[in-house]
Amino acid sequence: MQYPETLNKLIQILKSLPGIGPRMAERVAMHILKMETPDINNFAYTLIDVNQKIKNCSTCHAITEIDPCEICTSTTRDTSIICIVEQPSDIFAIEKTNDFHGLYHVLNGVISPIDGISPGDLNIRTLLTRINEDVNEIIVATNPNVEGEATSIYLAKILKPLGVKISRIAHGVPVGSDLEYIDSMTILKAFEGRQKI
Amino acid sequence: MQYPETLNKLIQILKSLPGIGPRMAERVAMHILKMETPDINNFAYTLIDVNQKIKNCSTCHAITEIDPCEICTSTTRDTSIICIVEQPSDIFAIEKTNDFHGLYHVLNGVISPIDGISPGDLNIRTLLTRINEDVNEIIVATNPNVEGEATSIYLAKILKPLGVKISRIAHGVPVGSDLEYIDSMTILKAFEGRQKI
């Protein structure tokens, strides 16, 4: 006996999600089968809701239910600093620190010739329109890999002529880690970025 | 900034699925956000479909879209053997071997006083109605743990008076494993169940 057709369809969909393998997809599908009708309907309608209600902020491209997003419309945020990130999810990671109170701008990717992504594919034009006399500093928080570095260098090159201060988040040894297990490139960056105590 | 409300709701639902932790739920939700509208609708309607179309076979309690299920209505299966399993998913695991051609009966659990599950909570009454002169053997394929063993002993006790042969699947060293890493109870069972070669 094969899985019933609809169950098989559900397993295939679950298998296509990141981090869910074939065995786990079967396990999750079996769990869903045992869920109560209101819970399963809630799951289905939440999916439809997420698709219909969540959009990108027209100013900073963050994901939001209201446009412009709550950060762009906030009166308590520091509008003199803009932090540039690759993905909307990076904003939530930074917001969890409760330390950065400026604005954000989502590039929606990084420059990557190998994947055919050029500067024109990123949200750089809308970034340029946001830079006015209010803006003092741009923090580039792209990921610390080859593409992220290349993108930060590109951004520095086009933003510097606008007379704005450009900074890059520090690379170094993560808090709570063990030097023994850190790769040499990170240790190199940690030495380069050493600070007086 | 917190996650938008609907996205947060989706993350909570994903987190409640087996094997999906908080970080993975966020990752899967972000993936779902990027899915195309037809794909996300397909996901939602498959959930509703699974809930509406899949039921339990009234004979063997397997999950099926048609009642009775395709195994119970098949003309090619050996109706003289019934294999007793705990969960509908166990049937798919056994069917993958392509070796067993009899019928199944799903108990829908095991006797477990600690969880308040007594024989009356299992599909035992419907099992008894299926045992007629056609049935020669009942194979008890409950899981090899305390509850599975207790349930197999209970079933043997109530089925033996009906004059039917009752057998239990073998416990032993799994194929492809390494004796060094096998627990002693399994090795004990493997010795007890040794066969002439």
Side-chain angles (χ1 to χ4, degrees):
Chain A
M1 186 166 76
Q2 307 266 301
Y3 286 113
E5 198 190 323
T6 47
L7 185 64
N8 198 35
K9 205 172 145 192
L10 179 62
I11 292 171
Q12 299 307 321
I13 293 171
L14 291 170
K15 231 162 63 177
S16 72
L17 299 176
I20 299 186
R23 292 303 295 269
M24 189 166 164
E26 289 177 15
R27 198 175 145 214
V28 171
M30 286 298 170
H31 175 91
I32 289 172
L33 258 188
K34 286 182 200 157
M35 278 166 65
E36 299 290 332
T37 303
D39 291 337
I40 212 165
N41 286 346
N42 184 29
F43 190 177
Y45 292 121
T46 302
L47 284 170
I48 294 172
D49 257 14
V50 158
N51 182 240
Q52 287 179 347
K53 288 190 188 163
I54 296 194
K55 42 187 169 275
N56 289 99
C57 171
S58 56
T59 306
C60 73
H61 309 284
I63 51 172
T64 177
E65 284 185 27
I66 42 162
D67 184 23
C69 74
E70 56 175 294
I71 291 181
C72 288
T73 52
S74 168
T75 54
T76 59
R77 310 278 310 198
D78 179 357
T79 55
S80 69
I81 308 182
I82 298 177
C83 175
I84 299 180
V85 294
E86 290 183 22
Q87 302 294 341
S89 50
D90 298 331
I91 295 179
F92 301 111
I94 297 172
E95 285 291 292
K96 274 179 194 159
T97 66
N98 264 323
D99 190 57
F100 177 73
H101 302 294
L103 305 177
Y104 292 97
H105 192 85
V106 180
L107 288 180
N108 206 22
V110 270
I111 299 168
S112 173
I114 212 161
D115 300 314
I117 302 171
S118 67
D121 299 318
L122 306 179
N123 295 324
I124 293 177
R125 209 166 305 140
T126 49
L127 172 66
L128 296 177
T129 63
R130 293 180 68 189
I131 297 171
N132 51 34
E133 53 270 28
D134 284 350
V135 179
N136 293 328
E137 185 176 356
I138 304 244
I139 302 174
V140 183
T142 51
N143 286 324
N145 51 32
V146 178
E147 292 81 9
E149 287 305 312
T151 307
S152 80
I153 292 166
Y154 176 83
L155 288 172
K157 212 178 74 180
I158 59 161
L159 294 175
K160 262 186 194 153
L162 301 175
V164 67
K165 182 182 159 195
I166 307 183
S167 56
R168 178 90 175 99
I169 52 165
H171 297 341
V173 181
V175 179
S177 65
D178 203 323
L179 265 189
E180 192 182 353
Y181 302 111
I182 302 291
D183 64 294
S184 39
M185 188 51 92
T186 301
I187 292 182
L188 190 90
K189 290 277 187 185
F191 271 80
E192 275 179 12
R194 68 189 179 277
Q195 304 199 344
K196 268 199 189 129
I197 50 170
Chain B
M1 186 165 79
Q2 306 268 303
Y3 286 113
E5 198 191 322
T6 47
L7 185 65
N8 198 35
K9 205 172 146 192
L10 179 62
I11 292 172
Q12 298 308 320
I13 293 169
L14 292 169
K15 232 163 63 178
S16 72
L17 299 175
I20 300 186
R23 291 303 294 270
M24 190 166 163
E26 289 176 15
R27 198 174 145 213
V28 171
M30 286 297 170
H31 175 92
I32 289 172
L33 258 188
K34 287 182 201 155
M35 279 166 66
E36 299 290 331
T37 303
D39 292 337
I40 212 165
N41 286 346
N42 184 28
F43 190 178
Y45 292 119
T46 303
L47 283 171
I48 293 172
D49 257 14
V50 157
N51 182 241
Q52 286 178 348
K53 288 189 187 161
I54 296 194
K55 42 188 171 271
N56 289 97
C57 170
S58 55
T59 306
C60 73
H61 309 284
I63 51 173
T64 177
E65 283 185 27
I66 42 162
D67 184 25
C69 74
E70 56 175 294
I71 291 182
C72 288
T73 52
S74 166
T75 52
T76 59
R77 308 278 310 198
D78 179 356
T79 55
S80 70
I81 309 183
I82 299 177
C83 175
I84 300 180
V85 294
E86 291 182 22
Q87 302 294 342
S89 50
D90 298 332
I91 295 178
F92 301 110
I94 297 171
E95 284 292 291
K96 274 179 194 159
T97 67
N98 264 324
D99 190 57
F100 177 75
H101 303 293
L103 306 177
Y104 292 96
H105 192 84
V106 179
L107 288 181
N108 205 22
V110 271
I111 299 168
S112 173
I114 213 162
D115 301 314
I117 302 170
S118 67
D121 298 317
L122 306 178
N123 295 323
I124 294 177
R125 210 167 304 138
T126 49
L127 172 65
L128 295 176
T129 63
R130 294 180 68 189
I131 296 170
N132 51 34
E133 52 271 26
D134 283 351
V135 180
N136 293 328
E137 185 176 357
I138 304 246
I139 303 175
V140 183
T142 52
N143 285 325
N145 52 30
V146 178
E147 292 82 8
E149 286 305 310
T151 307
S152 80
I153 292 166
Y154 175 84
L155 289 171
K157 213 178 73 181
I158 60 161
L159 295 174
K160 260 183 195 153
L162 302 174
V164 67
K165 183 184 160 194
I166 308 183
S167 56
R168 178 89 176 98
I169 53 165
H171 298 340
V173 181
V175 178
S177 64
D178 202 325
L179 265 190
E180 193 183 351
Y181 302 111
I182 302 290
D183 64 295
S184 37
M185 185 53 89
T186 301
I187 293 184
L188 190 91
K189 290 278 185 185
F191 271 80
E192 275 179 14
R194 68 189 180 277
Q195 303 198 347
K196 266 198 190 131
I197 49 172

